[in-house]
Amino acid sequence: LKTPVRTAACQHVFCRKCFLTAMRESGIHCPLCRGNVTRRERACPERALDLENIMRKFSGSCRCCAKQIKFYRMRHHYKSCKKYQDEYGVSSIIPHFQISQDSVGNSNRSETSTSDNTETYQENTSSSGHPTFKCPLCQESNFTRQRLLDHCNSNHLFQIVPVTCPICVSLPWGDPSQITRNFVSHLNQRHQFDYGEFVNLQLDEETQYQTAVEESFQVNI
């Protein structure tokens, strides 16, 4: 589970992102038992902090290599476990190409590494002030986010090759081990806007979520 949340009525637990996605699809029902979910829960589900503590305290076996891993680190392990990647059909080898930003993994990163990645994101910019990227499908470089989107839709629309998204990696919370199966589809779904215009790149994703929740309580409806 990633950022586990729990429904109040039926006490079922889900990853926060999965739960919010299900709420957008089903409206008012628990994804597991179809029980009622309050309007407040649909917008801001309650964190299952007890379960988070358990996940940080106890370990389990990787389903493929049998290595003992803390439960909260299991997702990160699966991204680097060759036996897991081979078993479930995802290459564990990241394609070798240069990206325009240096990055480190998201899990347990230090404040220094997050800051360094943010500075790199901001420094590696075009004359228009936007970060630039290299296309992982043809290696052509110096694309802004919008130009990369247009380039891939024009030249690689039907090219489905597992690669690492240079835009995702450039973000402070980016994970360089994350493989994107359909890069062009990913661009169209996730990168229709520049993150720097909407979020504070000095903060990690969870901190921004908490800040947004706190600020929402200050709004008079």
Side-chain angles (χ1 to χ4, degrees), residues 139-158:
Q139 308 307 308
E140 189 173 345
S141 59
N142 295 322
F143 288 112
T144 62
R145 189 269 318 162
Q146 185 60 55
R147 286 189 58 221
L148 179 61
L149 184 66
D150 295 340
H151 164 79
C152 288
N153 280 321
S154 298
N155 298 282
H156 307 297
L157 186 59
F158 301 106

Side-chain angles (χ1 to χ4, degrees), residues 128-142:
S128 64
H130 293 290
T132 57
F133 309 95
K134 178 179 285 187
C135 173
L137 299 175
C138 69
Q139 308 307 308
E140 189 173 345
S141 59
N142 295 322

Side-chain angles (χ1 to χ4, degrees), residues 50-111:
D50 57 329
L51 186 55
E52 285 191 41
N53 291 332
I54 290 174
M55 291 171 64
R56 290 184 176 278
K57 184 177 180 180
F58 295 101
S59 302
S61 298
C62 168
R63 66 181 64 179
C64 293
C65 73
K67 184 177 180 179
Q68 288 291 308
I69 306 292
K70 292 286 187 181
F71 285 118
Y72 83 99
R73 294 279 296 166
M74 193 67 76
R75 280 174 174 265
H76 182 75
H77 169 74
Y78 283 150
K79 292 176 183 178
S80 60
C81 176
K82 188 178 187 304
K83 288 186 177 180
Y84 179 88
Q85 302 289 345
D86 292 343
E87 174 71 19
Y88 290 93
V90 181
S91 173
S92 60
I93 302 175
I94 300 176
H96 180 70
F97 60 87
Q98 278 192 320
I99 57 176
S100 55
Q101 287 77 22
D102 293 324
S103 175
V104 295
N106 182 42
S107 299
N108 285 346
R109 71 172 63 211
S110 66
E111 293 181 3

Side-chain angles (χ1 to χ4, degrees), residues 1-48 75 209:
L1 292 165
K2 183 176 182 180
T3 314
V5 297
R6 179 181 287 113
T7 56
C10 51
Q11 296 290 292
H12 289 136
V13 179
F14 307 92
C15 296
R16 178 179 175 276
K17 183 176 180 180
C18 296
F19 177 79
L20 293 176
T21 299
M23 289 299 97
R24 286 195 295 270
E25 297 294 331
S26 66
I28 61 174
H29 300 293
C30 169
L32 186 61
C33 70
R34 309 297 294 168
N36 289 330
V37 178
T38 66
R39 183 176 181 179
R40 180 181 177 82
E41 281 184 286
R42 295 198 296 272
C44 185
E46 181 180 353
R47 293 276 292 274
R75 280 174 174 265
Y209 163 65

